[in-house]
Amino acid sequence: VNVLVSEDGSGSVEVVVGLDEDAVERIGGALEAVMEVDDLLASGWRLDGPDLDPDGYTRVRLSHPFGTPEEAAEVFAEIAAEDGPFQDFAVTRETSLAETRWAFTGRVDFSGGPESFGDEGPAPALHGEPLGQSVEEIEEQLGDSLRRLIQVRVRARLPGEVTSNATTRADNGAVWQVGFGEEPVDLRAEGTERRTSVLVLGGVGALALVALVVLLLVRLARRVTSSDDADGASPAHAAR
């Protein structure tokens, strides 16, 4: 899942699914033949792919734009479902005179394993097992653990200087690696935009104010001195 936020508060949410050659063969060799995306397209999502990339993975990319952080919440809700693995994703913005603070937060929970998938919460159990098979049976067929076979990444790019709790940094953003079947991961990233022009103007204004105060004090001091000189003049000198 890739989240991009621009300086005006607009952006996009992109969901990318990549399958290696073995995965494509196991579903029949034609990914487009088994995809059901009509509902997504009808709700404003854009579809790119399936495309075979140079690294050997076939990827499907689904993206949806948003105009404001509030609209982003509506897009996030569409990929979260009721009990899905991507929960509480949000983009927020706080603006002051000198800076704008952006925040991206969320939670990824694949601790439920295959049951994390489903249109309405966990996938239904068939004969008492998710997806009709136990995790052990699926891993035996694939010859490896689902933790190794399924890799989940969340990327967020925010305006300004970005800090986060992610283990990997990217240009203006952060990348979280989430282990399938592991404990939930809380995502936090913050971007800070400082308006240097406001700070410079504020500094110039402060210097101008200081200069004005000094000038007034100097003039006041001169007036006081002149007054003292006039009061202290001798009578004879004054007569002349």
Side-chain angles (χ1 to χ4, degrees):
V1 178
N2 300 319
V3 180
L4 171 64
V5 182
S6 301
E7 292 181 356
D8 62 357
S10 65
S12 64
V13 178
E14 181 185 46
V15 179
V16 183
V17 180
L19 295 88
D20 64 11
E21 183 179 0
D22 181 57
V24 174
E25 290 179 356
R26 287 176 179 272
I27 62 173
L31 185 56
E32 60 272 14
V34 299
M35 292 194 312
E36 297 181 3
V37 296
D38 290 345
D39 289 346
L40 289 171
L41 299 178
S43 62
W45 288 82
R46 173 183 174 181
L47 171 67
D48 290 314
D51 294 319
L52 179 61
D53 291 337
D55 62 359
Y57 277 76
T58 297
R59 288 185 173 86
V60 176
R61 296 173 172 85
L62 289 157
S63 59
H64 198 302
F66 58 84
T68 65
E70 291 74 22
E71 290 183 13
E74 299 176 8
V75 179
F76 290 141
E78 293 186 15
I79 67 173
E82 184 177 350
D83 296 309
F86 304 106
Q87 293 293 328
D88 302 325
F89 278 28
V91 173
T92 58
R93 172 177 55 187
E94 295 181 0
T95 302
S96 64
L97 181 63
E99 66 181 19
T100 297
R101 289 183 177 271
W102 300 90
F104 168 74
T105 55
R107 182 179 177 87
V108 179
D109 184 2
F110 277 99
S111 60
E115 290 186 339
S116 300
F117 297 102
D119 293 336
E120 298 295 338
L126 301 178
H127 305 293
E129 298 293 350
L131 305 182
Q133 294 177 301
S134 67
V135 172
E136 291 75 14
E137 289 172 331
I138 295 174
E139 291 179 339
E140 184 177 356
Q141 290 181 9
L142 299 178
D144 207 338
S145 67
L146 292 181
R147 178 178 174 181
R148 287 175 53 86
L149 292 172
I150 301 177
Q151 302 176 13
V152 183
R153 296 184 182 90
V154 176
R155 294 180 176 89
R157 295 184 62 182
L158 302 173
E161 183 179 348
V162 177
T163 58
S164 73
N165 66 341
T167 56
T168 306
R169 295 190 62 183
D171 292 340
N172 280 38
V175 180
W176 293 266
Q177 307 278 350
V178 183
F180 187 80
E182 294 182 355
E183 291 300 313
V185 176
D186 291 317
L187 319 177
R188 297 187 304 276
E190 184 177 274
T192 303
E193 288 183 287
R194 293 181 175 85
R195 284 180 281 282
T196 55
S197 59
V198 174
L199 296 176
V200 171
L201 289 175
V204 171
L207 289 175
L209 179 61
V210 171
L212 178 61
V213 171
V214 171
L215 178 61
L216 292 175
L217 290 175
V218 169
R219 288 183 177 179
L220 179 61
R222 287 176 178 175
R223 290 180 180 178
V224 171
T225 301
S226 299
S227 177
D228 290 344
D229 290 344
D231 293 342
S234 64
H237 183 272
R240 295 193 193 95

